[in-house]
Amino acid sequence: SPIRTYIHNNKDKFKKLAVFCTMGGSGSEATFKHMGELCKKEPIATLELTTKEVVDGKHLGKVKDFVSKIK
């Protein structure tokens, strides 16, 4: 709800959209789609990280890829 409110109040200010999601399980695809619809923009980059990936140290490659897309 706070993210939806932020997007609603600021979507006209967004030149580009990049979104990320941290989670315990799954569901990021629907979240990314919903955020894009709210902003009326296609994300230039998305990043989903599970708790397990972070705990196991397997997230750095994904983070680097995400950052390279938004630079």
Side-chain angles (χ1 to χ4, degrees):
S1 181
I3 296 297
R4 278 189 228 111
T5 300
Y6 178 82
I7 290 171
H8 177 74
N9 291 339
N10 295 285
K11 66 184 173 193
D12 295 332
K13 298 175 187 174
F14 302 153
K15 294 179 183 175
K16 295 180 181 178
L17 177 67
V19 293
F20 69 93
C21 180
T22 57
M23 63 198 154
S26 61
S28 64
E29 291 174 12
T31 300
F32 295 155
K33 181 179 178 187
H34 184 66
M35 292 172 114
E37 290 170 351
L38 288 173
C39 293
K40 298 182 178 160
K41 293 187 184 334
E42 187 72 25
I44 61 167
T46 61
L47 171 63
E48 65 176 51
L49 295 175
T50 64
T51 302
K52 182 168 177 29
E53 287 175 313
V54 174
V55 169
D56 292 346
K58 296 181 178 179
H59 63 290
L60 294 178
K62 285 178 144 184
V63 172
K64 288 178 182 179
D65 184 51
F66 179 77
V67 170
S68 72
K69 290 177 182 175
I70 63 174
K71 281 188 171 181

